[in-house]
Amino acid sequence: MTEVVSENSEVTVLLVDDNPQNLKVLYETLKDKGYRLLIANEGDKALDLAHRHQPEVILLDIMMPDMDGYEVCERLKADPETADCAVVFLSALDDLQAKVRGFSLGGADYISKPFQSQEVIARVKTHARVIRLERELQARNRELQGDQTRILNSISEGIYGLDENGVIEFANPAAAAILGSPVDAIIGCNFFEIHFAAVGEDTGGLPVHGTCRQGVAESQRNIRMLRTDGSGFPAEYRSTPKLDDDELHGAVVVFRDITAELESEAALEEARELVQEQRDQLAHASRLTTMGEMAAGFAHEVNQPLTAITNYARVSKRMMGKETPDLGLIGETLDKIEAQSHRASEIIRRIRRFMKKPATGKEIISMPALLEDTRQFAEVDMRNNEGGIEVAVPEGLPDVLADPIQVQQVALNLIRNALEATRSSGSATPVEVSASLVGSHCVRVQVRDYGVGLSADAEDKLFLPFYTTKDEGMGIGLATCRSLIQAQGGDIGFERPQDGGACFFFTLPVAGAEGAPCRPDNPPDTRED
Amino acid sequence: MTDIQQTVYVVEDDEAVRDSLELLLKSDGKPVKTYESATAFLKDYSDKMAGCIVLDIRMPGMDGMELQKKLNEQHSILPIIFVTGHGDVPMAVDAMKEGAVDFIQKPYREEALLEKIEAALEQDLEQRKSLDEKQEIIRRIKSLTPREHEIMDRMIAGQANKVIAIELEISQRTVEIHRSRVMHKMGTHSLAHLVRMVLSVKDLIDAK
């Protein structure tokens, strides 16, 4: 029986009869069936209760004083709150006329007096279920309708329903807001007229026209649409044909104002250009700094042999000024002069090779030669850090295509960092610089040190501009290095060696293997679209 | 006044420069000792050294400026001639503020360097002479008894014998006896000279 209860729960049955005896019998019949029972002994009361409780089923006596059952039924059906109630007439008038009249007034059923309790129970149950299902269905419909309306209302894109001539049959609030007119005023207007100032039938070639007439879906970005006040706005739209059994009935248009989007796109583009510009400037500044540091280093370096030469020359003259000059000693001193002169010219040759070209073009570079040059550049740093550098390049390493100055700058930067890290840790192990072929079209250069190493959180930020782990670092170095290397079509990275220290590497494309850049699958922050 | 052998100490990391400078100075008849790093010189340093230092300002490890600071901490009075390269002028200025005698820029004319070395050696001699004098004054001060020292301090402060006697609760006669002993031990007859002597070694005594 619980099933019955559960099925009947929430079902309200209103019993209306002017005869208390009848009411009692009906009440007794239905009381244990799980219904909520309401009782009224006259029409007014019945209407009041029905209005307040919206019973699913009303058992309604026809013959009542003041207001008979027919009138009550009429009124119930006239009140939207109670219109869906199932009215079951109760009457001793078991004639067709009475029944017909009852049905014509919206009655759902008819039970003749004296009634059988089983019949009453069965009928009430049936109608209760029907009404409940109906009500649920309506509730769902209302909900769906509500959802649809809410969706259409809340969508920020304008939506139109057009007929095949472009007459607007439906418009959502967003469409009205974009256009600048209330929804009511839009319905019935011609889409082509209000948005494109088209005159009459001259709509060929306009957006959405093809969808309305030929059923072809369209979508365009950055077209110009008009508002009611005649001003225009850039828009993006999609239109899809409205089909009903394969018959074309117009189009659904979804459109939006893209003014703000275009602005932010332009701003983004501008920002991108600015970033690129700043990157170039940074690289340039960094190059100048490197040049400046190198120039100072060179000047210092060239001064050493020159000073020595001057001193030796003086000494030689003095020796020659003696009564019995020691020719052997003078010869030795002259040999020293010659050696220092070679040393000076070697330094100058290196400077010229470095300064020979402005840092603009890529050229074919022999990696062993470039790394050897870089090692010599780093001699000042080596002395300053009391460290060593070992260069290891395998035989037959192919040449790469890159800007030699920029590559040298990057290599020098990594070597300097490595020397400093080695000194900081008090280690005496030399920095290992090596090159190798990766795949068929990439050369990888690696700078490995056995120094202080890097913390885990530093690893993620290493190549970000202005990030530094040094007390006096600017944080420009590695960010610039990345820009420079990526500009060569290569990549730069860091690996944490198992046995401590640090390992930085960069890759460069092998000469003649263009179109196969040495970049990771998803290079960071270099979207180009 | 002991006559110590003056030496030119060359501290220079570049082997060729070091070697050529050694030959040059030797050919000029000067005793030379060379060091390839500031650390090596510092290890060897003692206050018995006389002469001057020709010091390269830019060196790996400890540079010239650092060596100068360390020597100052040890109250070295060896004059330093800094040898600077291109663009080291600001450093040289700092070095001068720290008490360097002079600096010379590479590549230099030999005459200029030798002149500067001569001047530095001269200065070293002067300093050493006055230092010897000061050392003698200090030796004499140390020969005073605590009581005599106390009385000398009060004499220098300008206290009259009477005041000294009252404050130290001794007789004025006793003060006079101490006073004459102080003058005798300090080898002077004038109070003004005594004051000058004691003031001249004030910094050395304070430093101890």
Side-chain angles (χ1 to χ4, degrees):
Chain A
M1 289 309 283
T2 51
E3 195 188 318
V4 176
V5 171
S6 72
E7 191 177 319
N8 295 342
S9 62
E10 299 302 305
V11 171
T12 305
V13 180
L14 172 59
L15 312 174
V16 189
D17 200 318
D18 59 327
N19 181 338
Q21 194 56 41
N22 282 348
L23 279 178
K24 189 171 186 303
V25 171
L26 286 170
Y27 187 85
E28 291 295 325
T29 304
L30 295 168
K31 75 169 182 193
D32 294 327
K33 300 289 175 281
Y35 302 119
R36 187 163 66 126
L37 297 175
L38 303 170
I39 293 171
N41 58 0
E42 55 176 36
D44 274 334
K45 275 188 190 162
L47 289 172
D48 179 53
L49 282 170
H51 184 80
R52 279 193 287 134
H53 299 282
Q54 287 120 43
E56 277 75 8
V57 182
I58 301 173
L59 300 184
L60 181 56
D61 187 21
I62 295 176
M63 302 297 286
M64 291 191 294
D66 301 333
M67 197 191 298
D68 67 7
Y70 296 130
E71 195 179 336
V72 172
C73 179
E74 248 178 314
R75 292 196 183 195
L76 284 170
K77 294 296 162 187
D79 179 357
E81 294 288 332
T82 54
D84 72 338
C85 300
V87 176
V88 179
F89 287 112
L90 307 168
S91 178
L93 302 168
D94 192 10
D95 61 67
L96 190 62
Q97 278 297 314
K99 284 182 187 174
V100 168
R101 182 164 179 210
F103 285 123
S104 71
L105 290 172
D109 208 344
Y110 198 99
I111 302 177
S112 306
K113 287 183 183 177
F115 28 71
Q116 305 298 314
S117 58
Q118 290 307 322
E119 188 186 5
V120 171
I121 290 164
R123 301 250 171 135
V124 168
K125 186 175 167 181
T126 303
H127 289 295
R129 185 188 291 160
V130 169
I131 293 296
R132 254 199 28 209
L133 288 174
E134 262 181 21
R135 285 189 178 178
E136 270 174 28
L137 192 62
Q138 274 184 335
R140 286 291 301 135
N141 276 344
R142 269 201 303 276
E143 218 172 283
L144 287 172
Q145 198 113 43
D147 282 351
Q148 208 171 358
T149 312
R150 266 199 301 280
I151 288 166
L152 291 175
N153 287 353
S154 67
I155 274 175
S156 59
E157 294 178 304
I159 301 173
Y160 285 136
L162 308 181
D163 72 5
E164 58 274 22
N165 295 316
V167 173
I168 298 170
E169 297 172 323
F170 168 84
N172 73 336
I178 295 171
L179 179 62
S181 292
V183 173
D184 299 344
I186 300 174
I187 306 294
C189 293
N190 186 287
F191 171 81
F192 302 109
E193 274 175 37
I194 59 172
H195 281 302
F196 300 100
V199 182
E201 293 295 297
D202 190 19
T203 56
L206 285 176
V208 188
H209 178 89
T211 312
C212 284
R213 293 296 167 85
Q214 282 95 45
V216 187
E218 292 179 7
S219 77
Q220 283 190 68
R221 188 175 159 79
N222 210 354
I223 57 155
R224 199 161 178 77
M225 286 171 80
L226 298 174
R227 299 191 188 91
T228 309
D229 63 8
S231 59
F233 62 92
E236 178 175 18
Y237 80 93
R238 289 189 313 282
S239 61
T240 45
K242 250 193 329 190
L243 295 171
D244 206 354
D245 292 337
D246 291 343
E247 200 180 321
L248 185 60
H249 280 281
V252 174
V253 183
V254 178
F255 69 103
R256 70 176 193 279
D257 181 343
I258 56 169
T259 308
E261 274 172 52
L262 291 178
E263 276 168 12
S264 40
E265 274 167 27
L268 192 65
E269 194 46 46
E270 219 169 282
R272 271 211 196 107
E273 279 168 18
L274 190 68
V275 166
Q276 191 51 51
E277 207 174 293
Q278 284 174 341
R279 234 190 235 153
D280 295 347
Q281 281 176 355
L282 203 58
H284 182 65
S286 168
R287 189 159 53 238
L288 286 183
T289 309
T290 310
M291 290 275 207
E293 285 169 2
M294 283 181 173
F298 287 143
H300 182 76
E301 271 194 278
V302 174
N303 265 332
Q304 306 285 47
L306 291 183
T307 303
I309 289 168
T310 313
N311 291 341
Y312 286 136
R314 264 308 150 164
V315 171
S316 308
K317 277 174 93 174
R318 289 214 175 153
M319 290 183 196
M320 287 166 71
K322 287 187 178 168
E323 300 238 335
T324 49
D326 182 341
L327 291 181
L329 203 56
I330 293 173
E332 269 174 45
T333 312
L334 290 175
D335 285 345
K336 287 180 178 175
I337 290 180
E338 201 184 354
Q340 288 308 306
S341 167
H342 282 312
R343 178 183 162 194
S345 57
E346 182 56 34
I347 294 166
I348 290 163
R349 191 185 57 79
R350 228 170 54 217
I351 298 172
R352 286 186 53 193
R353 207 164 44 205
F354 183 79
M355 302 291 181
K356 190 174 57 179
K357 272 193 169 234
T360 50
K362 293 184 183 179
E363 52 186 73
I364 292 173
I365 310 171
S366 151
M367 215 63 215
L370 184 129
L371 289 177
E372 179 49 34
D373 261 7
T374 313
R375 191 191 63 76
Q376 292 184 354
F377 277 137
E379 267 179 3
V380 178
D381 302 283
M382 253 197 294
R383 283 214 313 272
N384 288 340
N385 289 293
E386 294 171 316
I389 302 170
E390 282 175 6
V391 180
V393 185
E395 290 287 312
L397 189 71
D399 290 347
V400 297
L401 183 76
D403 180 325
I405 294 194
Q406 297 192 348
V407 174
Q408 199 148 52
Q409 205 178 322
V410 171
L412 193 61
N413 204 323
L414 297 182
I415 289 171
R416 272 187 191 161
N417 287 346
L419 286 166
E420 283 171 21
T422 305
R423 188 192 53 183
S424 301
S425 71
S427 156
T429 318
V431 172
E432 295 165 4
V433 180
S434 57
S436 59
L437 186 63
V438 180
S440 60
H441 51 251
C442 267
V443 168
R444 176 182 149 124
V445 177
Q446 175 178 305
V447 178
R448 163 89 166 93
D449 69 66
Y450 295 85
V452 286
L454 283 159
S455 65
D457 69 326
E459 214 172 309
D460 302 334
K461 304 181 199 145
L462 270 182
F463 297 96
L464 296 178
F466 310 115
Y467 179 77
T468 181
T469 59
K470 299 183 196 170
D471 291 343
E472 292 174 356
M474 276 276 290
I476 301 282
L478 286 175
T480 309
C481 286
R482 183 160 84 168
S483 294
L484 294 181
I485 287 293
Q486 288 185 344
Q488 316 292 326
D491 196 44
I492 190 165
F494 167 78
E495 283 169 1
R496 181 180 298 279
Q498 290 287 319
D499 46 350
C503 175
F504 283 87
F505 65 89
F506 61 87
T507 56
L508 290 169
V510 167
E514 287 103 303
C518 304
R519 292 288 282 278
D521 297 336
N522 41 3
D525 79 354
T526 48
R527 276 186 53 218
E528 286 162 359
D529 49 3
Chain B
M1 174 75 226
T2 47
D3 194 20
I4 313 169
Q5 165 75 69
Q6 283 189 311
T7 307
V8 179
Y9 299 99
V10 174
V11 185
E12 164 67 61
D13 64 308
D14 190 275
E15 193 194 342
V17 175
R18 200 168 59 236
D19 176 60
S20 62
L21 198 50
E22 182 175 13
L23 286 178
L24 179 69
L25 294 172
K26 278 183 175 163
S27 73
D28 201 50
K30 294 200 167 42
V32 183
K33 198 158 181 206
T34 62
Y35 298 89
E36 62 170 16
S37 74
T39 321
F41 177 78
L42 207 56
K43 242 186 227 160
D44 210 30
Y45 172 78
S46 85
D47 56 10
K48 300 280 181 293
M49 283 181 172
C52 71
I53 310 174
V54 176
L55 178 54
D56 192 9
I57 206 159
R58 261 197 207 221
M59 286 186 294
M62 192 193 297
D63 67 17
M65 301 281 298
E66 264 180 273
L67 176 60
Q68 181 188 28
K69 282 200 175 65
K70 289 221 157 43
L71 290 172
N72 282 347
E73 282 165 21
Q74 300 197 29
H75 308 288
S76 157
I77 54 160
L78 277 175
I80 299 175
I81 298 164
F82 274 103
V83 179
T84 68
H86 166 83
D88 292 335
V89 174
M91 280 168 99
V93 171
D94 286 345
M96 295 299 282
K97 284 182 188 160
E98 286 288 325
V101 174
D102 209 340
F103 70 93
I104 186 161
Q105 211 166 11
K106 267 190 222 171
Y108 42 75
R109 288 191 0 265
E110 169 218 17
E111 292 83 356
L113 179 67
L114 290 174
E115 261 171 46
K116 286 175 195 286
I117 289 176
E118 285 303 338
L121 291 176
E122 187 58 37
Q123 184 182 330
D124 175 63
L125 213 56
E126 286 294 314
Q127 280 175 340
R128 230 158 265 290
K129 208 170 118 192
S130 85
L131 192 67
D132 284 348
E133 284 166 10
K134 285 180 184 174
Q135 298 292 7
E136 178 59 20
I137 294 165
I138 289 170
R139 200 189 53 71
R140 289 180 186 183
I141 291 174
K142 280 184 175 162
S143 72
L144 300 177
T145 64
R147 187 49 124 192
E148 286 164 354
H149 202 296
E150 190 176 23
I151 293 200
M152 183 179 77
D153 284 347
R154 288 169 182 276
M155 284 159 60
I156 289 168
Q159 285 188 355
N161 287 357
K162 199 193 295 183
V163 179
I164 297 173
I166 290 167
E167 288 198 358
L168 295 180
E169 295 173 340
I170 50 178
S171 75
Q172 209 168 312
R173 176 84 191 105
T174 311
V175 175
E176 277 162 18
I177 291 167
H178 280 311
R179 190 180 175 119
S180 71
R181 277 198 194 141
V182 168
M183 296 304 253
H184 177 72
K185 280 186 177 176
M186 293 304 293
T188 181
H189 297 291
S190 105
L191 179 58
H193 186 213
L194 176 74
V195 171
R196 258 209 316 281
M197 277 198 295
V198 174
L199 286 182
S200 75
V201 298
K202 191 174 180 302
D203 54 343
L204 288 176
I205 291 172
D206 288 349
K208 288 213 160 67

